[in-house]
Amino acid sequence: MNFSLTEEQKMIRDMARKFADDELRKTAAKRDQTQEFPKEEVKKLAELGFMGMMVPEEYNGAGLDTVSYVLAMEEISRADASVGVIMSVNNSLVTWGINEYGTEEQKEKYLKPLAAGEMLGCFALSEPEAGSDATNQNTVAVRDGEHYVLNGTKNWITNGATADVALVMATTDRSKGAKGISAFIVEKDTPGYSIGKKEDKLGIRSSDTVSIAFEDCKVSAANLLGEEGFGFKFAMKTLDGGRIGIAAQALGIAQASLDASLKYSKERKAFGVLISEHQAIQFKLADMATNIQAARLLTLDAAYVKDQGKSYSKQAAMAKLYASKIAVEAALEAIQVHGGYGYIKEYNVERFLRDSKITEIYEGTSEIQRIVIARHLLKD
């Protein structure tokens, strides 16, 4: 991989950093407490082109590469991981999926407004009994003339309460197992589509997470994504890219933890000197910085391989596995550096810890990432 950034990539990173500093950082803690969805902030993100970064310009996207997306995601998540995951779902899962596999009609109707930020999307794969075991889809879709009728429940849906459209995986032929799962674009105001209660979460609290129920929900056959039976393969391919986005989110949280630790260590005194002069603190800072840089290079490598049009499943899993681990570790160390102050909400590091944990769980747990990596190693 060529590790030097282009001028365009640097410009995207700097634009994202400025937006994060000017618009997100000062109000992130308040949104965390109130669980308020960052509606205006997401609107401004869209105006900057950050909600459809990898979508071609002809479909209202920014037409950028995955490396640029990673750089922007890290900067946004460094200020507010909740906004980061909203951005990640719309980019990595929803717009990417429709751009890659949608019909021209689907792109005109859904991709254009999603990329422009006029619509928000969500990705509905998980169910009450189908998390890591994504083949166990109990949501069913039965063909009825020119429509499919959906029945079932999805849960842990990021953006679910605010999304205008959902990409929904549902079983169309149970006898075929994973090959009997199909993918649909479903509009929120379709009769039979209902949003359940908003989850009260540990972290990323201003990003809404809900369950979605489908009760005799009639969806046009024109909204089938790809062929019947393509849904599971579609979901797995989409999640590969999603893992790069979550790795970048984790990186942002980890870097924010290091930033806060550096700042505090230069202000706080113990035993008559700044704590930054104590070797115990210096070693923590050195380890955090080294681990974050290693995670960053793994994530950029995954993005680069994707941009080359090569298989990137293993690289994405490695980046997500390691970056999420480092995010949790960096946040824990940041609390330790802050001592008692790290445990109270006046300082942001307790939020970084709460936000970090989910990166080891969603879009494939760390255990699932290890399975993916091992399969590739044994196959090669």
Side-chain angles (χ1 to χ4, degrees), residues 58-113:
E58 64 189 284
Y59 297 113
N60 294 338
L64 295 168
D65 59 8
T66 316
V67 169
S68 296
Y69 168 58
V70 162
L71 296 170
M73 265 294 298
E74 179 183 344
E75 294 299 334
I76 297 302
S77 301
R78 192 173 178 179
D80 188 343
S82 292
V83 176
V85 75
I86 294 164
M87 174 178 159
S88 178
V89 168
N90 205 70
N91 274 282
S92 296
L93 304 185
V94 181
T95 58
W96 185 86
I98 298 174
N99 182 60
E100 198 73 12
Y101 299 107
T103 63
E104 193 60 37
E105 181 186 42
Q106 289 167 349
K107 290 178 183 180
E108 287 290 329
K109 188 174 181 180
Y110 299 112
L111 185 58
K112 281 187 172 182

Side-chain angles (χ1 to χ4, degrees), residues 9-20:
Q9 289 165 345
K10 290 176 185 176
M11 181 191 74
I12 296 299
R13 179 198 61 196
D14 294 345
M15 188 191 307
R17 184 177 297 169
K18 186 175 189 310
F19 176 78

Side-chain angles (χ1 to χ4, degrees), residues 312-325:
Y312 57 93
S313 178
K314 180 179 72 174
Q315 289 85 349
M318 285 179 166
K320 202 262 192 188
L321 172 65
Y322 191 69
S324 62
K325 175 176 179 283

Side-chain angles (χ1 to χ4, degrees), residues 41-189:
E41 289 79 5
V42 171
K43 183 180 176 184
K44 290 175 183 176
L45 262 184
E47 290 168 0
L48 291 171
F50 288 141
M51 294 302 282
M53 291 187 70
M54 297 169 286
V55 174
E57 292 180 15
E58 64 189 284
Y59 297 113
N60 294 338
L64 295 168
D65 59 8
T66 316
V67 169
S68 296
Y69 168 58
V70 162
L71 296 170
M73 265 294 298
E74 179 183 344
E75 294 299 334
I76 297 302
S77 301
R78 192 173 178 179
D80 188 343
S82 292
V83 176
V85 75
I86 294 164
M87 174 178 159
S88 178
V89 168
N90 205 70
N91 274 282
S92 296
L93 304 185
V94 181
T95 58
W96 185 86
I98 298 174
N99 182 60
E100 198 73 12
Y101 299 107
T103 63
E104 193 60 37
E105 181 186 42
Q106 289 167 349
K107 290 178 183 180
E108 287 290 329
K109 188 174 181 180
Y110 299 112
L111 185 58
K112 281 187 172 182
L114 283 163
E118 295 161 6
M119 279 184 170
L120 185 67
C122 66
F123 188 81
L125 174 65
S126 293
E127 295 185 359
E129 295 183 15
S132 294
D133 180 13
T135 60
N136 186 31
Q137 295 288 309
N138 288 319
T139 298
V140 296
V142 178
R143 184 75 185 244
D144 181 15
E146 293 303 305
H147 293 83
Y148 285 87
V149 180
L150 273 62
N151 281 282
T153 301
K154 298 291 181 177
N155 66 348
W156 315 123
I157 309 303
T158 303
N159 296 350
T162 41
D164 301 285
V165 295
L167 301 191
V168 182
M169 307 320 125
T171 295
T172 45
D173 188 342
R174 195 168 295 282
S175 68
K176 294 182 179 178
K179 293 181 179 179
I181 298 168
S182 302
F184 301 88
I185 304 171
V186 186
E187 296 178 30
K188 179 173 72 174
D189 47 9

